[in-house]
Amino acid sequence: MFADLAGSTSLRNGRWESSTASIYDAAVKPAVQILADFGADFIDVQGDAAFGLFTGDYSKRRAVCAGITIKTFGEQILMPALEKKWPNNPPQTGFKVGCAVSDLLAKKIGISRSAHNAPVWAGRAVNYAAKCSQQAKAHQLIVTKPIADMVRCTEYLWYSCACSDESVELWSDQHVEKVAGGDANGLLLTSGWCETCGDTYCEKICTGAWRRPDLDRKRSLLSHGKYERVIKFREANGVQIRRGIDIL
């Protein structure tokens, strides 16, 4: 998962260096903390961007939830704080987030047994997540197809919560430029967590739940259409369905 600060090159315009530094700190530090809270196995800061590597149980789910949390923080907390501090010239920024998955080869390079070495991750996921982030705008999340497949099968992610008048699909199709093959057929998300349901939904997603009881009526309407195709997709990909929980 790659979270980049939008418009970072213009943050210095009309501000002291110390003010610019405080903006970076107020943005990137919480993003790193969010990655840690969602159990990222490796975290790095690259300029104004935070990078997190997730492995293990429900790694794709945790990465997506971390990405949504970071962009929600940028839109709902960071931006209002910046607008309050600089009401006449607020910084135009926010997080652009990308998510991808692949096998990775990790190796430390540099001078052994010293501070002058660092891990290098060889594989598509890091590059593709950065490409997704580059294509996104502030407060947007773009994922590649393998992540998109998981999103489509998770009702807590795919549909809006019960606070809205009607549960609607939140994601839209997105072609990811400079990403090879089928991985380019991704998804775009512009909304963030609901203040009422966000914590509950996030917990359920990260622990493997996918089926929302409040959508029983929608499922009945789609029983011979899209919902049935989702079930077939899950079964074809080796995901057992038992009491609404993914058994991997």
Side-chain angles (χ1 to χ4, degrees):
M1 197 230 72
F2 196 91
D4 190 15
L5 204 56
S8 57
T9 56
S10 64
L11 292 180
R12 187 178 176 183
N13 295 344
R15 298 180 183 85
W16 296 100
E17 286 81 356
S18 58
S19 296
T20 305
S22 68
I23 296 174
Y24 282 120
D25 189 53
V28 179
K29 184 177 180 180
V32 171
Q33 184 60 57
I34 290 169
L35 288 169
D37 291 343
F38 280 92
D41 298 273
F42 176 83
I43 301 172
D44 193 16
V45 175
Q46 302 175 0
D48 59 348
F51 157 67
L53 172 65
F54 293 79
T55 63
D57 294 340
Y58 308 123
S59 56
K60 288 185 285 188
R61 292 165 169 264
R62 290 185 287 115
V64 169
C65 286
I68 298 173
T69 303
I70 288 174
K71 83 179 198 67
T72 302
F73 156 76
E75 185 171 18
Q76 299 182 6
I77 298 177
L78 176 65
M79 285 305 301
L82 296 179
E83 290 168 358
K84 182 178 180 180
K85 186 173 182 61
W86 291 283
N88 297 324
N89 184 27
Q92 299 303 310
T93 187
F95 281 103
K96 309 181 301 175
V97 184
C99 248
V101 60
S102 75
D103 293 333
L104 292 174
L105 172 65
K107 180 170 177 60
K108 281 190 173 182
I109 61 173
I111 302 174
S112 301
R113 294 183 295 277
S114 76
H116 306 295
N117 66 354
V120 173
W121 305 94
R124 298 190 310 274
V126 178
N127 182 44
Y128 284 5
K131 297 294 184 186
C132 289
S133 173
Q134 291 167 7
Q135 190 169 334
K137 298 178 181 179
H139 317 311
Q140 291 185 349
L141 166 65
I142 294 179
V143 302
T144 56
K145 185 179 184 300
I147 304 288
D149 291 340
M150 179 276 296
V151 169
R152 289 189 175 94
C153 294
T154 307
E155 293 178 350
Y156 286 100
L157 280 171
W158 184 247
Y159 295 107
S160 64
C161 66
C163 294
S164 61
D165 294 335
E166 182 182 0
S167 295
V168 297
E169 296 178 1
L170 296 173
W171 301 69
S172 58
D173 292 337
Q174 177 72 44
H175 176 76
V176 186
E177 298 177 359
K178 299 181 180 179
V179 168
D183 279 12
N185 301 321
L187 289 172
L188 166 69
L189 177 69
T190 59
S191 59
W193 293 120
C194 169
E195 293 184 3
T196 302
C197 306
D199 289 344
T200 300
Y201 278 31
C202 194
E203 181 180 357
K204 288 183 176 296
I205 294 164
C206 289
T207 54
W210 68 273
R211 178 169 175 147
R212 278 174 47 187
D214 59 301
L215 292 181
D216 285 339
R217 181 175 180 275
K218 178 178 283 288
R219 274 193 295 272
S220 66
L221 295 174
L222 300 176
S223 60
H224 299 293
K226 185 173 182 179
Y227 182 72
E228 193 172 74
R229 293 196 297 273
V230 168
I231 297 297
K232 290 180 179 179
F233 175 87
R234 297 172 63 83
E235 293 174 344
N237 284 271
V239 180
Q240 300 178 32
I241 302 172
R242 186 178 304 166
R243 296 179 183 176
I245 302 295
D246 292 347
I247 309 298
L248 302 180

CSV table of all heavy atoms in Angstrom, one decimal, residues 38 85 107 138 141 143 149 213:
chain,number,residue,atom,x,y,z
A,38,PHE,N,-2.6,-1.3,11.5
A,38,PHE,CA,-3.2,-2.4,10.7
A,38,PHE,C,-2.3,-3.5,10.4
A,38,PHE,O,-2.6,-4.4,9.6
A,38,PHE,CB,-3.7,-1.8,9.3
A,38,PHE,CG,-5.0,-1.1,9.4
A,38,PHE,CD1,-5.1,0.3,9.7
A,38,PHE,CD2,-6.2,-1.8,9.3
A,38,PHE,CE1,-6.3,0.9,9.8
A,38,PHE,CE2,-7.5,-1.2,9.5
A,38,PHE,CZ,-7.5,0.2,9.7
A,85,LYS,N,-5.7,26.7,10.0
A,85,LYS,CA,-4.5,27.4,10.3
A,85,LYS,C,-4.2,28.4,9.2
A,85,LYS,O,-3.6,29.5,9.5
A,85,LYS,CB,-3.3,26.4,10.4
A,85,LYS,CG,-2.0,27.0,10.8
A,85,LYS,CD,-1.0,25.9,11.1
A,85,LYS,CE,0.4,26.5,11.5
A,85,LYS,NZ,0.3,27.3,12.8
A,107,LYS,N,15.7,-8.2,-0.2
A,107,LYS,CA,17.1,-8.3,0.1
A,107,LYS,C,17.7,-7.0,0.6
A,107,LYS,O,17.4,-5.9,0.1
A,107,LYS,CB,17.9,-8.8,-1.1
A,107,LYS,CG,19.4,-8.9,-0.8
A,107,LYS,CD,20.1,-9.6,-1.9
A,107,LYS,CE,21.6,-9.7,-1.6
A,107,LYS,NZ,21.9,-10.5,-0.4
A,138,ALA,N,-6.2,13.6,-5.0
A,138,ALA,CA,-6.3,13.7,-3.5
A,138,ALA,C,-7.6,13.0,-3.1
A,138,ALA,O,-8.6,13.2,-3.7
A,138,ALA,CB,-6.2,15.1,-3.1
A,141,LEU,N,-8.5,6.4,-3.8
A,141,LEU,CA,-7.8,5.1,-3.7
A,141,LEU,C,-8.0,4.3,-4.9
A,141,LEU,O,-9.1,4.1,-5.4
A,141,LEU,CB,-8.3,4.3,-2.5
A,141,LEU,CG,-7.9,2.8,-2.4
A,141,LEU,CD1,-6.4,2.7,-2.2
A,141,LEU,CD2,-8.6,2.2,-1.2
A,143,VAL,N,-6.9,0.6,-6.8
A,143,VAL,CA,-6.4,-0.8,-6.6
A,143,VAL,C,-6.3,-1.5,-7.9
A,143,VAL,O,-7.0,-1.3,-8.8
A,143,VAL,CB,-7.2,-1.6,-5.6
A,143,VAL,CG1,-7.3,-0.8,-4.3
A,143,VAL,CG2,-8.6,-1.9,-6.1
A,149,ASP,N,-10.8,-7.8,-7.1
A,149,ASP,CA,-11.6,-9.1,-7.0
A,149,ASP,C,-12.0,-9.3,-5.6
A,149,ASP,O,-13.1,-9.7,-5.3
A,149,ASP,CB,-10.8,-10.3,-7.5
A,149,ASP,CG,-10.5,-10.2,-9.0
A,149,ASP,OD1,-11.3,-9.5,-9.7
A,149,ASP,OD2,-9.6,-10.9,-9.5
A,213,PRO,N,-25.7,-8.7,6.9
A,213,PRO,CA,-27.1,-9.1,7.2
A,213,PRO,C,-28.1,-8.1,6.7
A,213,PRO,O,-29.2,-8.5,6.3
A,213,PRO,CB,-27.2,-9.3,8.7
A,213,PRO,CG,-25.8,-9.5,9.1
A,213,PRO,CD,-24.9,-8.7,8.2
